[in-house]
Amino acid sequence: MLILVTGGAGFIGSHIVAALTGAGHEVRVLDALLPAAHRTAPPIPDGADFRHADVRDAAAVAEALRGVDAVCHQAAMVGLGKDFADAPAYVGCNDLGTAVLLAGMAEAGVRRLVLASSMVVYGEGRYECPTHGGVGPGPRRVADLEAARFEPPCPRCGEPLVPGLVAEDAPLDPRNVYATTKLAQEHLASAWARAVGGRVVALRYHNVYGPGMPRDTPYAGVASLFRSALERGEAPRVFEDGGQRRDFVHVRDITGANVAALGGLPGLPEGTARAYNVGSGEPHTVGEMAAALADAHGGRAPVVTGEYRLGDVRHITASSDRLREELGWKPQVAFLEGMREFATAPLRAG
């Protein structure tokens, strides 16, 4: 197959491109090389047809789609960003870019899409109240965060909640600009599938880490921020009390999920969009991750700062059972193994 990978020069995209070319596919890469992700031009895997263009450029997209069998859409601005002033850039890159791509696919007759989505579409994760059962906590309040009351209470009785695993049919509640754009991408892709008889797999990535992450950028994930600090000889700064639960999944496992999704697309009914969580199945706190990374690096121990970002959620961990059962995927990289590798792996200029 000839597969177009948008954002194929980026952190996750470049790993996907290497895996697809290694599996014998023809791969075409479309990447704008935005400065937020690329301080210098990255290497492009041998055998890939590289197009330096923005996914919002309809003419460039049309040209890149010639002869393509499927699209793996990774191009996006990622992370929480700096502040709300980033909103136009996020919406432009993520939502307008996706709309232009989908319009081009409709015109070109390309009907198979793997979309890079994110666990952020859920907002807060799944919670149980001992009295009221499954509940959705309300917005985090500045007064609570300032007082170091980080755990969300039951919105009905105020008692502590127990976090659990989120399945794909959980309510969607994006709580920051990036999250809102990722959900909009899913809705656009679903509308496209219904309109043209397409097939979409939306992969909701959890906290991805691994070799080649960008360093020293506010748009990177928390693992990259900690790794960048260690490389500078600084202690990783852990926000809140470090007790935030996340699912850290290695980029090679994300790559495997994309390969499985491409293989599973023909089995979907026409006009269908199907979402899958992609997580390791090993929830850990942010504090545990920082400690494991610092220990493996041999650097300074993490510092828990009590600082917070209002757009962050407290706990979000996934069940990836649907991906395992329907597409035969399973993670290969265990948490400590991955952290030991990542502690000394090369980073890219961010």
Side-chain angles (χ1 to χ4, degrees), residues 174-190:
R175 297 197 172 194
N176 57 57
V177 171
Y178 171 61
T180 302
T181 66
K182 297 310 287 185
L183 182 54
Q185 285 184 304
E186 287 197 27
H187 287 321
L188 285 166
S190 181

Side-chain angles (χ1 to χ4, degrees), residues 259-339:
V259 173
L262 285 163
L265 279 171
L268 288 179
E270 290 185 0
T272 298
R274 186 82 166 143
Y276 295 90
N277 291 331
V278 190
S280 71
E282 295 185 63
H284 290 274
T285 68
V286 172
E288 289 170 346
M289 187 273 284
L293 190 58
D295 181 67
H297 187 274
R300 297 177 62 183
V303 174
V304 178
T305 69
E307 297 172 273
Y308 64 87
R309 298 188 301 180
L310 194 58
D312 279 334
V313 297
R314 179 61 176 175
H315 303 298
I316 176 66
T317 55
S319 166
S320 298
D321 288 349
R322 178 185 288 183
L323 185 58
R324 294 168 183 254
E325 294 166 3
E326 295 186 8
L327 297 183
W329 171 90
K330 62 179 181 180
Q332 303 294 323
V333 184
F335 175 74
L336 289 178
E337 173 193 350
M339 287 298 155

Side-chain angles (χ1 to χ4, degrees), residues 139-291:
R140 304 182 84 185
R141 300 190 310 165
V142 171
D144 288 336
L145 297 172
E146 290 285 352
R149 294 190 294 268
F150 300 121
E151 294 291 342
C154 174
R156 297 178 64 182
C157 66
E159 292 300 308
L161 298 174
V162 179
L165 299 181
V166 178
E168 290 85 351
D169 57 359
L172 303 180
D173 182 22
R175 297 197 172 194
N176 57 57
V177 171
Y178 171 61
T180 302
T181 66
K182 297 310 287 185
L183 182 54
Q185 285 184 304
E186 287 197 27
H187 287 321
L188 285 166
S190 181
W192 167 84
R194 286 193 298 270
V196 304
R199 296 175 170 93
V200 179
V201 167
L203 297 176
R204 293 173 178 166
Y205 301 160
H206 278 247
N207 289 71
V208 187
Y209 73 96
M213 287 191 86
R215 65 172 180 264
D216 299 326
T217 168
Y219 300 97
V222 66
S224 176
L225 299 178
F226 291 167
R227 176 70 173 76
S228 297
L230 290 165
E231 191 166 280
R232 296 192 302 268
E234 301 170 3
R237 295 177 60 82
V238 180
F239 280 14
E240 301 186 19
D241 59 1
Q244 310 93 306
R245 286 166 57 88
R246 297 290 189 270
D247 188 324
F248 298 97
V249 57
H250 196 279
V251 68
R252 285 198 297 275
D253 288 330
I254 294 292
T255 297
N258 276 269
V259 173
L262 285 163
L265 279 171
L268 288 179
E270 290 185 0
T272 298
R274 186 82 166 143
Y276 295 90
N277 291 331
V278 190
S280 71
E282 295 185 63
H284 290 274
T285 68
V286 172
E288 289 170 346
M289 187 273 284

Side-chain angles (χ1 to χ4, degrees), residues 54-132:
D54 197 304
V55 74
R56 292 168 288 187
D57 182 338
V61 167
E63 179 61 31
L65 285 167
R66 292 182 184 276
V68 164
D69 298 296
V71 175
C72 189
H73 183 32
Q74 306 295 314
M77 280 187 67
V78 300
L80 193 59
K82 292 179 287 187
D83 52 42
F84 203 84
D86 285 329
Y90 273 103
V91 172
C93 288
N94 298 357
D95 298 340
L96 176 59
T98 299
V100 172
L101 173 67
L102 293 170
M105 292 175 67
E107 181 68 22
V110 182
R111 297 294 182 259
R112 299 179 185 179
L113 173 67
V114 176
L115 172 67
S117 187
S118 172
M119 54 85 179
V120 296
V121 299
Y122 298 113
E124 288 285 353
R126 178 175 173 269
Y127 291 88
E128 292 283 336
C129 171
T131 302
H132 298 105

